[in-house]
C-alpha cells in the first residue's frame, strides 16, 4: 500500500488564553474557538497602535536633546504577538503491518512546539520554514490521537506583518517503514537539446537494510500525463538511488509555454509497491551573462519582476491558493514575469503556481543573519538554525522550473562587518551543496559606496537594491558578475488620491495620511519608476528589476511610520484589496505587449472650477492628444525637446483648467492615424452600486474563492471618485464572505466582516465557497443608493 496523505484542515480548536495543560489529552477544550487551518489568529483584529508598538530613543540636534520615536504600524497594528494553542483529534486506523507517521508543516508562525498524545514531538522556530516531524513513536494506531501545537510570537521580531499561528497547510502522512524521505526526490536536467533531454533523478530512501529487496521504479509523464519513459533500479544496500533517463523531443518550460513533466517514483519491497510520490519539473536552460543579461532557453529575457511579502491582504498570512493565483494573474496581466519572495521562504504554493503559470521566482531565505536588525529577529536563531532553514527551503523548492536563483538574504548588516564574507560564504556554500544548478544571490545595498561591501565577492550574482545610478560603476567594479535590480523604485501612492501640483515628492507627509497617485512620490532611498526604466534601458547588462512591491501588504506604512492610523503599505502597484492603482498601467505600458491608454485623475473637482489640475496619461502609443469638453489642449509625443519627466510612457499636462464635463485622450500611431481613445467624466451624486465578479464559477470545495469588486456610481454609471458609502454584502447560496477590503491604508474596519466603507468609490468582497454546489447571488447595499447584484456558480 502506498502512502496515505491526510490534510489536517478542519475541526481544530484554538485559544489565546494561557492553558498549562493544553498539551494533555484529558483537557476539556469545548470552550475554545473552532478554526480551520490555514489560520491567522490576528487578522480579524482589532487594530490598535499598541499592538507591537516600537519605541526608540531618537537623539536631537547636537545630541543635546532626545525624544521617543513611536513606530505604530510597522507590523500592521494587529494582535499577532504572544502565545496561542491549537488542538486537533485525529483518527488513525489500526494497521496490520508496521507503519510510520510523518507530520508535514508548511509553516507555523512562530517558535512552534508540537505535542502528540501529551508528549513533545519536536518543533521549529522560524515561522517561514517548512518542516516535518516523525510521529511514529507517538501515534497510537486504532485510537484517537491528539495533536497539540504551541505557538509563541515575540514582539519586535519582524519589520512587517508576519501573521500568527498555523498559517500554512499541515499534513499527516502514513508511510511504510521503507519510504521516500521528505523532499527526497531531486530532479535535474543536465543535458538538453531539441532532440533529447536527460533527466537525473536522485531518490533518497528511509529504512533500507542489506536484505530489504527494494526496487525503485521511476516513470516520467509528459505534460499531458502520458508515460514516456520508465526505469527500474534494484537496490542492495544503498539508501540513495541515482538514475538517468532520456526523454525524446522534450517540450520546454518557458514563460509563454510553461510545460511541466512529472517524475513518478515508486518504491517496491519484494515486488509490492509501498510508496508512490509525484514531483513536477520542467526542461529549461537558464544562463546569466555578465555583459548580455539573462537567457532562458538561449533566448534573452529581461526580468520584469516585483517583490512580494507573503500576506494576502485581508486574508492575512493564511495561505489560500485561489487568492495567490489571483495575485499572479493580475501581475501577469500587468506584464510582470518574475517574483522575488521578500524576505523569506514563501508558501510552497507560490513556486508551484509560478511554475504552472510561467513566472520566474527568486527564493529568498532571510532578512537578518547573525547581526541584529530587530531585537527578537533571526539573529536569535542564527547559530542553531541558519543551515537547517536554508537547506529546508532549497530541498523543498529545487524541482520547480520557475525557481532560478537562491537569495541568501536582504540588506543584511554583515555587508560591512569583518566576518561578513565568511558568513555569506557559509550560506552560498550551502546553496551550491544542495543545488549546484542554480546561482546564489542577495539583495545588497550600497555596493558602490566608499565602504567595501565584503559580501559581493561571495555571491554568484549581484542583486542591487535602489542603485540605478550605480549600475555602470558596479559593472565596472565586478565585470565577471551578472547584475540585476533586486529591489527598485519604492514609489508610494494611495489609489484614487490626487494632490496638486504633480511634482516629485520625497517622503512627503500629509494630514490625510495618504499619498498622491501621480506616482511621483517615493521614499528617501528610492525613485520614481521612470528612473529605473531609463537605467534598465541604458544598461544592456542589467538582467531586470524587482519593484518594491507588486501588492500593498500589511505593515511598513512608509512614509507614515510614526502616524496612526496607518497600518499597511503604500508601495504596492496594486492595493491591499487587489484593485490596481494608476501605476499598474504605467508598468503595463512599459512591460507588456498590450496597447495601453490610461487617463488620470478623475474629473470631479467641485469648487475647483477654473483652477489648474494636472492631467496625466500612461500609454505605450507614440503620440497622444488631450481634449477637455472637445477642445484640444495639444499633443505630446515621445522624446520631445525639453521633456522634464524621464519616461516615454508618461505624458503630463501640468495645469489643465478644471471645468466639469469630460476629459478625453486620443492615441495616434504611425502617420498620425488614430489608434485608440479613452475618457473620464465628471461624476454626479452616488446613485447605485455595481458589482463585478472576477469569475463566473468557483469550485464547491469549501476553499476556492471569487473576488467581487463594488463600485459606487452615479446615475450614468460613472464612478463616484470620492464616495465612502458603507457597503454591506449579502450572500445567497453556498458561499460566505471570507473578507472585505477597500485598499485604504488608514482604515481600521475589520477585514472579517460583511461590511466596509468604500475608499474612493470602491471596495472588494472575498467570497469563499462553503462546500456545496449551487448558484451564488451576491448583493451589496448602502443607504440612499440602488443595490448591486451579481451571480456566479459553485460547482
Amino acid at each position: 500500500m502506498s502512502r496515505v496523505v491526510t490534510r489536517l484542515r478542519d475541526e481544530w480548536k484554538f485559544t489565546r488564553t494561557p492553558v498549562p495543560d493544553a498539551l494533555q489529552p484529558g483537557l476539556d477544550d469545548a470552550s475554545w474557538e473552532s478554526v480551520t487551518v490555514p489560520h491567522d489568529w490576528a487578522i480579524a483584529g482589532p487594530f490598535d497602535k499598541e499592538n507591537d508598538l516600537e519605541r526608540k530613543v531618537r537623539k536631537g540636534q547636537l545630541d543635546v536633546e532626545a525624544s521617543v520615536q513611536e513606530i505604530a504600524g510597522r507590523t500592521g497594528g494587529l494582535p499577532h504577538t504572544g502565545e496561542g494553542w491549537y488542538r486537533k483529534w485525529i483518527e488513525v486506523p489500526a494497521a496490520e503491518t508496521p507503519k510510520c507517521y510523518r507530520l508535514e508543516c508548511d509553516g507555523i508562525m512562530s517558535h512552534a512546539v508540537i505535542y502528540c498524545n501529551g508528549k513533545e514531538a519536536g518543533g521549529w522556530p522560524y515561522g517561514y520554514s517548512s518542516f516535518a516531524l516523525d510521529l511514529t513513536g507517538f501515534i497510537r494506531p486504532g485510537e484517537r490521537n491528539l495533536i497539540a501545537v504551541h505557538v509563541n510570537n515575540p514582539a519586535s521580531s519582524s519589520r512587517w506583518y508576519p501573521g500568527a499561528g498555523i498559517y500554512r497547510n499541515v499534513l499527516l502522512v502514513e508511510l511504510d517503514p521503507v519510504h521516500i524521505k521528505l523532499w527526497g526526490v531531486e530532479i535535474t536536467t543536465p543535458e538538453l537539446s531539441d532532440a533529447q533531454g536527460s533527466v537525473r533523478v536522485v531518490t533518497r530512501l528511509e529504512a533500507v537494510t542489506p536484505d530489504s529487496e527494494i526496487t525503485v521504479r521511476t516513470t516520467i509523464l509528459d505534460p499531458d500525463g502520458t508515460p514516456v519513459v520508465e526505469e527500474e533500479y534494484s537496490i542492495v544496500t544503498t539508501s540513495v538511488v541515482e538514475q538517468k533517463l532520456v526523454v525524446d523531443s522534450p517540450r520546454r518550460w518557458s514563460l509563454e509555454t510553461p510545460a511541466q513533466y512529472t517524475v513518478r517514483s515508486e518504491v517496491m519491497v519484494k515486488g509490492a509497491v509501498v510508496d508512490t510520490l509525484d514531483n513536477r519539473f520542467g526542461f529549461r536552460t537558464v544562463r546569466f551573462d555578465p555583459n548580455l543579461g539573462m537567457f532562458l532557453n538561449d533566448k534573452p529575457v529581461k526580468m520584469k519582476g516585483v517583490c512580494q511579502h507573503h500576506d494576502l491582504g485581508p486574508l492575512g498570512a493564511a495561505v489560500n491558493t485561489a487568492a495567490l493565483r489571483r495575485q499572479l494573474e493580475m501581475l501577469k496581466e500587468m506584464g510582470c514575469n518574475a517574483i522575488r519572495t521578500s524576505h523569506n521562504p514563501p508558501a510552497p504554493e507560490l513556486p508551484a503556481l509560478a511554475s504552472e503559470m510561467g513566472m520566474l521566482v527568486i527564493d529568498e531565505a532571510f532578512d537578518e543573519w547573525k547581526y541584529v536588525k530587530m531585537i527578537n529577529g533571526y539573529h536569535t536563531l542564527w547559530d542553531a538554525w541558519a543551515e537547517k532553514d536554508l537547506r529546508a527551503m532549497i530541498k523543498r523548492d529545487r524541482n520547480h522550473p520557475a525557481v532560478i536563483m537562491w537569495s541568501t538574504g536582504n540588506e543584511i548588516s554583515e555587508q560591512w562587518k569583518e566576518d561578513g564574507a565568511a558568513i555569506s560564504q557559509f550560506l552560498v556554500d550551502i546553496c551550491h551543496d544542495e543545488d549546484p544548478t542554480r546561482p546564489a544571490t542577495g539583495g545588497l545595498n550600497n555596493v558602490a559606496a566608499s565602504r567595501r561591501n565584503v559580501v559581493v565577492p561571495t555571491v554568484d550574482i549581484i542583486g542591487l537594491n535602489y542603485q540605478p545610478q550605480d549600475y555602470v560603476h558596479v559593472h565596472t567594479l565586478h565585470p565577471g558578475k551578472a547584475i540585476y535590480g533586486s529591489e527598485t523604485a519604492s514609489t508610494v501612492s494611495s489609489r484614487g488620491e490626487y494632490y496638486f501640483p504633480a511634482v516629485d515628492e520625497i517622503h512627503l507627509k500629509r494630514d490625510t495620511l495618504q499619498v498622491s497617485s501621480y506616482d511621483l512620490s517615493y521614499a528617501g532611498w528610492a525613485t520614481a519608476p521612470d528612473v529605473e526604466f531609463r537605467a534598465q534601458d541604458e544598461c544592456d547588462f542589467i538582467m531586470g528589476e524587482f519593484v518594491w512591491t507588486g501588492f500593498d501588504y500589511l505593515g511598513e506604512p512608509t512614509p507614515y511610520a510614526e502616524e496612526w492610523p496607518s497600518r499597511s503599505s503604500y508601495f504596492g502597484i496594486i492595493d491591499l484589496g487587489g484593485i490596481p492603482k494608476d501605476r499598474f498601467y504605467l508598468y503595463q505600458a512599459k512591460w507588456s505587449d498590450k496597447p495601453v491608454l490610461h487617463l488620470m485623475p478623475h474629473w470631479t473637482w467641485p469648487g475647483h472650477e477654473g483652477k489648474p489640475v494636472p492631467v496625466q496619461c500612461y500609454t505605450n502609443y507614440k503620440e497622444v492628444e488631450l481634449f477637455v469638453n472637445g477642445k484640444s489642449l495639444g499633443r505630446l509625443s515621445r522624446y520631445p525637446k525639453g521633456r522634464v519627466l524621464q519616461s516615454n510612457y508618461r505624458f503630463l499636462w501640468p495645469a489643465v483648467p478644471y471645468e466639469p464635463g469630460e476629459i478625453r485622450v486620443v492615441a495616434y500611431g504611425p502617420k498620425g492615424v488614430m489608434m485608440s481613445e479613452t475618457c473620464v467624466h465628471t461624476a454626479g451624486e452616488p446613485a447605485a452600486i455595481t458589482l463585478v465578479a472576477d469569475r463566473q464559477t468557483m469550485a464547491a470545495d469549501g476553499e476556492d474563492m471569487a473576488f467581487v469588486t463594488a463600485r459606487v456610481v452615479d446615475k450614468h454609471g460613472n464612478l463616484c471618485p470620492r464616495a465612502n458609502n458603507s457597503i454591506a454584502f449579502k450572500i445567497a447560496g453556498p458561499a460566505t464572505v471570507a473578507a472585505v477590503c477597500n485598499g485604504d491604508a488608514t482604515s481600521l474596519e475589520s477585514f472579517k466582516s460583511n461590511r466596509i466603507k468604500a475608499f474612493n468609490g470602491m471596495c472588494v468582497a472575498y467570497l469563499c465557497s462553503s462546500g456545496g454546489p449551487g448558484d451564488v447571488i451576491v448583493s451589496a447595499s448602502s443607504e440612499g443608493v440602488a443595490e448591486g447584484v451579481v451571480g456566479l456558480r459553485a460547482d
Side-chain angles (χ1 to χ4, degrees), residues 171 352 370 419 477 598 610 673 695 701 727 740 751 795:
L171 307 175
K370 182 177 179 179
D419 55 349
L477 288 174
H598 176 74
V673 176
R695 65 201 67 195
D701 59 4
I727 297 177
V740 289
F751 298 129
D795 283 322

Side-chain angles (χ1 to χ4, degrees), residues 336-409:
C336 173
N337 64 11
I339 303 289
R340 175 186 174 222
T341 70
S342 308
H343 302 289
N344 46 261
E349 288 83 357
L350 176 63
L353 280 173
S355 295
E356 173 191 321
M357 298 171 66
M359 297 189 79
L360 306 173
V361 173
I362 296 178
D363 258 14
E364 193 156 83
F366 307 115
D367 185 56
E368 182 179 307
W369 292 351
K370 182 177 179 179
Y371 289 92
V372 63
K373 277 188 180 180
M374 300 295 296
I375 294 172
N376 292 313
Y378 192 82
H379 71 277
T380 62
L381 307 176
W382 173 263
D383 289 336
W385 289 94
E387 181 170 355
K388 296 174 186 177
D389 285 319
L390 183 55
R391 289 189 185 276
M393 181 185 79
I394 296 171
K395 287 178 180 178
R396 190 195 71 181
D397 290 349
R398 61 188 168 194
N399 291 335
H400 292 298
V403 178
I404 57 170
M405 292 184 232
W406 307 114
S407 176
T408 59

Side-chain angles (χ1 to χ4, degrees), residues 569-591:
S569 82
Y570 302 78
F571 292 116
I573 300 170
I574 302 168
D575 78 16
L576 195 72
I579 303 174
K581 302 180 185 179
D582 292 295
R583 211 173 341 139
F584 179 96
Y585 303 97
L586 176 60
Y587 281 98
Q588 189 180 56
K590 169 64 174 172
W591 283 355

Side-chain angles (χ1 to χ4, degrees), residues 104-254:
E104 298 183 2
C105 306
D106 288 345
I108 301 176
M109 188 63 69
S110 62
H111 294 80
V113 181
I114 297 172
Y115 303 86
C116 183
N117 294 323
K119 297 181 179 179
E120 183 176 336
W124 205 281
Y126 191 34
Y128 298 106
S129 281
S130 297
F131 64 97
L133 300 177
D134 183 1
L135 298 187
T136 305
F138 303 91
I139 290 287
R140 296 192 288 263
E143 301 181 23
R144 294 177 76 232
N145 294 262
L146 175 68
I147 303 294
V149 181
H150 180 252
V151 181
N152 182 18
N153 278 348
S156 299
S157 61
S158 179
R159 298 194 299 118
W160 54 86
Y161 177 69
I166 308 178
Y167 73 118
R168 294 177 181 171
N169 285 302
V170 177
L171 307 175
L172 180 67
V173 185
E174 178 185 332
L175 298 154
D176 187 90
V178 178
H179 58 265
I180 300 168
K181 291 184 176 182
L182 177 71
W183 310 317
V185 178
E186 179 184 355
I187 306 165
T188 54
T189 54
E191 298 171 358
L192 179 59
S193 68
D194 291 340
Q196 286 187 330
S198 66
V199 184
R200 176 180 174 266
V201 182
V202 178
T203 308
R204 294 174 172 86
L205 304 177
E206 194 70 65
V208 175
T209 62
D211 56 351
S212 297
E213 298 184 39
I214 298 173
T215 299
V216 171
R217 180 166 59 210
T218 300
T219 306
I220 297 180
L221 294 78
D222 69 15
D224 301 318
T226 303
V228 292
V229 63
E230 178 182 299
E231 180 180 298
E232 291 189 0
Y233 188 102
S234 296
I235 307 169
V236 179
T237 60
T238 181
S239 61
V240 180
V241 178
E242 183 174 341
Q243 296 168 284
K244 184 176 180 181
L245 300 87
V246 176
V247 173
D248 292 330
S249 303
R251 289 151 67 177
R252 305 235 182 175
W253 185 93
S254 69

Side-chain angles (χ1 to χ4, degrees), residues 298-564:
D298 293 323
K299 297 179 180 178
V301 171
K302 201 87 162 179
M303 290 184 287
K304 305 168 185 175
V306 298
C307 301
Q308 283 287 95
H309 272 314
H310 69 300
D311 76 63
L312 292 169
L315 298 178
V319 70
N320 178 274
T321 300
L324 191 52
R325 183 186 294 275
R326 176 201 183 212
Q327 286 193 339
L328 297 185
E329 288 173 345
M330 294 184 72
L331 291 170
K332 282 180 67 73
E333 174 70 16
M334 186 178 71
C336 173
N337 64 11
I339 303 289
R340 175 186 174 222
T341 70
S342 308
H343 302 289
N344 46 261
E349 288 83 357
L350 176 63
L353 280 173
S355 295
E356 173 191 321
M357 298 171 66
M359 297 189 79
L360 306 173
V361 173
I362 296 178
D363 258 14
E364 193 156 83
F366 307 115
D367 185 56
E368 182 179 307
W369 292 351
K370 182 177 179 179
Y371 289 92
V372 63
K373 277 188 180 180
M374 300 295 296
I375 294 172
N376 292 313
Y378 192 82
H379 71 277
T380 62
L381 307 176
W382 173 263
D383 289 336
W385 289 94
E387 181 170 355
K388 296 174 186 177
D389 285 319
L390 183 55
R391 289 189 185 276
M393 181 185 79
I394 296 171
K395 287 178 180 178
R396 190 195 71 181
D397 290 349
R398 61 188 168 194
N399 291 335
H400 292 298
V403 178
I404 57 170
M405 292 184 232
W406 307 114
S407 176
T408 59
N410 170 70
E411 296 185 357
I412 43 83
S413 302
E414 283 81 350
Q415 292 174 89
W416 305 282
K417 300 290 185 181
E418 185 175 345
D419 55 349
I423 293 173
S424 179
Q425 192 65 59
F426 160 72
L427 297 173
V428 170
D429 288 345
I430 292 172
C431 294
H432 293 167
D433 180 54
E434 289 291 350
D435 179 19
T437 71
R438 292 179 177 89
T441 186
L444 308 177
N445 49 330
N446 296 325
V447 170
S450 57
R451 294 187 293 170
R452 186 173 68 91
N453 191 314
V454 300
V455 168
V456 172
T458 66
V459 297
D460 303 311
I461 293 179
I462 300 174
L464 297 177
N465 288 8
Y466 309 109
Q467 298 171 75
Q469 72 284 354
D470 288 328
Y471 284 162
V472 173
H473 183 41
V474 174
H475 180 57
T476 303
L477 288 174
H478 305 280
K481 292 184 182 290
I483 302 171
Y484 67 101
S486 45
E487 200 167 308
T488 65
S490 268
T491 306
V492 287
S493 63
S494 303
R495 176 185 52 78
E497 292 284 317
Y498 304 96
Y499 298 92
F500 310 150
V503 294
D504 282 2
E505 299 177 347
I506 302 176
H507 216 84
L508 179 66
K509 298 185 179 185
R510 293 184 169 90
D511 291 342
T512 60
L513 304 188
Q514 302 293 353
V515 184
S516 180
S517 196
Y518 282 107
D519 300 323
L520 292 168
S521 306
Y522 42 89
W525 61 82
T527 67
D530 320 68
V531 175
E532 186 69 34
F533 290 171
R534 170 183 279 184
Q536 294 277 331
D537 290 343
E538 291 178 349
C539 302
D540 292 338
F541 57 88
I542 292 292
M543 299 191 299
E545 66 167 314
F546 289 82
V547 180
W548 191 265
T549 55
F551 279 72
D552 275 334
Y553 56 93
L554 291 161
E556 290 193 309
T558 303
Y560 300 109
E562 300 173 62
E563 289 74 21
W564 183 262

Side-chain angles (χ1 to χ4, degrees), residues 706-718:
F707 307 89
V708 176
T709 301
R711 295 167 51 92
V712 181
V713 299
D714 69 6
K715 63 182 181 181
H716 300 294
N718 299 308

Side-chain angles (χ1 to χ4, degrees), residues 81-101:
T81 62
E83 300 182 45
W85 277 100
Y86 293 83
R87 285 165 55 97
K88 178 175 174 59
W89 288 94
I90 55 175
E91 299 280 354
V92 179
E96 297 181 0
T97 58
K99 296 293 180 183
C100 294
Y101 301 92

Side-chain angles (χ1 to χ4, degrees), residues 316 450 492 566 729 787:
S450 57
V492 287
S566 52
F729 293 93
E787 182 180 75

